[in-house]
Amino acid sequence: MTRLLALFSTALISTAHAAEVKVLTATSPTDAGFKLDPVQSPAIDDAAAGAVFTLVDGDRDGNGGDLTVLNDGKMPATDDQPRANFFFRGGTDGGRIAVDLKEPLRLREVNTYSWHSGSRGPQVYNLYAVEGNGKFDPAPEKDMDPAKRGWKLIAEVDTRPEEGDGGGQHAVSITPGNHEDLGRYQHLLFDISRTQDRDSFGNTFFSEIDIIDAEKPEPKRMKPDKKIVNTYPSDDGKYTYVIDSSKAPDLTEWSEKELMPVVKEWYPKIVELLPSRGFRAPDTVVIEYKDDMGGTPAYATGHRLSLNVGWFRGQLEGEAKGCVVHELVHTVQNYWQARMNNRNASQTPGWVTEGIADYIRWFLYEPESKGAEITRGNLAQAKFDASYRITANFLDWVIRTRDEELLQKLNEAAREGNYDGKLWKRWTDKTLEELGEEWRKEHEDKLSA
């Protein structure tokens, strides 16, 4: 349910008249399709669509989208989709974005939208504007007061809640109070601040900026998809599983009757298989079907699993369930968090990360399928760091023949940012290369016989 956070007004002085500006803010902790009353849904063909957005201060985070995502009329599909949002580099205190409308327009609304599951959801910024006829600094840096450089302060925005990190969808609408419009402006300046400074993840995921021309017809608004979202608590109440089949209504029943029993059984098992000191796996797992993933069957981002609708429809009796188990392992691994707790964290090789996921899938979840066997057909690729199924086979061999606790040791080193190839010698008395050669030789002899 949409939850209205705040409604307030601030008196500002316009060159034409004294204008009262209302700042309407609303948020939803869950996916409401950005239909957040009293703020209208994002516009598709507003004045921002043809405007020029410029980064005048601050650094864009390379993991996110560029400025074009702010006026493309598209919204992210999940609460942690970096490429669909613009945000400033981690560890910095925001920055400034200038918008040139190309000509002075009478503005009726300026709306901003953001979405993230944590502290990068709320919005904190000041909006300045100028008509453009007089002298003004078009690119004032962060340490400069725009009001002293020819800009006029229009509104102050802060959607942070009094408690909690404010994760969810946030919508802001800056509207006129006692007049028909905000004023006539060509240039806008968004002076953006981070939402918190306790870690490097405090810069807002901005999804869209709308600018509504008071002299143009009402713009087209985004219509959210009809949502099919079902929630399944674990039997012990410890975990919550959510399946969003909005993009695949025909898979709703299969997901509930066939997939969910597997998830409920194996997610807690995976958590138990991959422990480390002080680590707590996500309490909530969100599984969403998508139709824009190209040839990728599935991927995991944090606590969210994205499943390719087309691929899953063709694999319901094949690899679908095992694929989800593989992605659940990634949800529990959380190796990316190592850099948050360890300044000198080493990077875990991808073959280790994927090899662990496929080991749990092929040798623990569905060993009868023999999907990670070494055969004459793939013997030439049998290298310990070949990743996925082949690395899974290597890990199984090491666990069976050298160290039955290797999975836990390898996971802990990766999660804490301490992985080093030399650890294999400590664990097994042999180097990684020696183990790989012995494992391969055993398969060669077996296949020759």
Side-chain angles (χ1 to χ4, degrees), residues 248-283:
D250 55 306
L251 298 182
T252 302
E253 184 177 1
W254 177 86
S255 299
E256 179 172 350
K257 294 182 178 180
E258 299 290 335
L259 180 59
M260 188 46 57
V262 173
V263 173
K264 282 187 171 183
E265 177 184 358
W266 276 89
Y267 185 71
K269 285 185 177 180
I270 295 167
V271 173
E272 187 174 353
L273 282 166
L274 303 176
S276 64
R277 294 185 299 272
F279 174 75
R280 177 174 175 174
D283 297 330

Side-chain angles (χ1 to χ4, degrees), residues 23 38 56 62 92 106 117 224 243 374 388 393 403 409 416 429:
V23 179
V56 299
T92 64
R106 285 180 54 223
S117 58
I243 296 184
I374 302 299
Y388 293 99
N393 189 288
D403 186 352
K409 294 175 180 177
E416 295 182 354
D429 292 327

Side-chain angles (χ1 to χ4, degrees), residues 73-292:
K74 300 177 182 179
M75 306 302 288
T78 71
D79 63 6
D80 192 7
Q81 191 177 351
R83 302 301 295 178
N85 297 276
F86 176 90
F87 53 102
F88 291 98
R89 181 169 55 82
T92 64
D93 186 10
R96 288 175 171 174
I97 298 172
V99 180
D100 183 356
L101 298 172
K102 299 181 180 179
E103 62 177 335
L105 301 176
R106 285 180 54 223
L107 304 185
R108 191 179 76 234
E109 297 174 23
V110 176
N111 300 340
T112 55
Y113 304 85
S114 57
W115 191 16
H116 190 266
S117 58
S119 59
R120 292 181 282 193
Q123 304 177 26
V124 182
Y125 68 85
N126 290 342
L127 175 63
Y128 295 85
V130 64
E131 183 173 355
N133 293 331
K135 292 183 178 180
F136 73 102
D137 182 352
E141 296 180 358
K142 193 72 173 175
D143 59 351
M144 301 176 181
D145 181 359
K148 295 180 180 180
R149 314 288 292 190
W151 294 85
K152 181 191 306 178
L153 177 64
I154 300 299
E156 299 176 352
V157 172
D158 189 342
T159 70
R160 292 174 293 187
E162 293 183 1
E163 297 182 359
D165 59 16
Q169 293 182 347
H170 289 247
V172 174
S173 184
I174 300 170
T175 63
N178 57 357
H179 286 273
E180 295 181 353
D181 58 73
L182 292 168
R184 189 176 183 83
Y185 305 109
Q186 178 176 337
H187 301 275
L188 301 179
L189 179 69
F190 292 85
D191 181 16
I192 299 168
S193 299
R194 60 187 171 188
T195 63
Q196 52 85 14
D197 60 3
R198 63 181 178 272
D199 56 44
S200 60
F201 300 102
N203 280 310
T204 303
F205 270 35
F206 281 95
S207 308
E208 189 79 2
I209 293 178
D210 288 347
I211 302 171
I212 311 301
D213 186 344
E215 297 179 335
K216 292 289 182 66
E218 173 67 18
K220 296 178 181 178
R221 300 282 178 175
M222 184 188 76
K223 294 182 179 180
D225 296 329
K226 181 180 180 181
K227 294 293 181 179
I228 305 176
V229 181
N230 292 297
T231 301
Y232 307 90
S234 61
D235 295 338
D236 60 3
K238 189 174 182 180
Y239 301 110
T240 300
Y241 309 106
V242 179
I243 296 184
D244 184 343
S245 56
S246 305
K247 297 289 187 180
D250 55 306
L251 298 182
T252 302
E253 184 177 1
W254 177 86
S255 299
E256 179 172 350
K257 294 182 178 180
E258 299 290 335
L259 180 59
M260 188 46 57
V262 173
V263 173
K264 282 187 171 183
E265 177 184 358
W266 276 89
Y267 185 71
K269 285 185 177 180
I270 295 167
V271 173
E272 187 174 353
L273 282 166
L274 303 176
S276 64
R277 294 185 299 272
F279 174 75
R280 177 174 175 174
D283 297 330
T284 299
V285 177
V286 179
I287 300 173
E288 181 181 12
Y289 289 99
K290 295 184 178 180
D291 58 5
D292 59 352

Side-chain angles (χ1 to χ4, degrees), residues 18-64:
E20 182 184 79
V21 173
K22 290 182 180 178
V23 179
L24 308 176
T25 73
T27 187
S28 171
T30 58
D31 183 4
F34 286 96
K35 188 174 178 59
L36 302 170
D37 295 333
V39 182
Q40 295 196 66
S41 299
I44 297 174
D45 57 348
D46 60 298
V52 177
F53 283 63
T54 305
L55 184 63
V56 299
D57 191 88
D59 298 321
R60 180 182 77 86
D61 195 302
N63 295 310

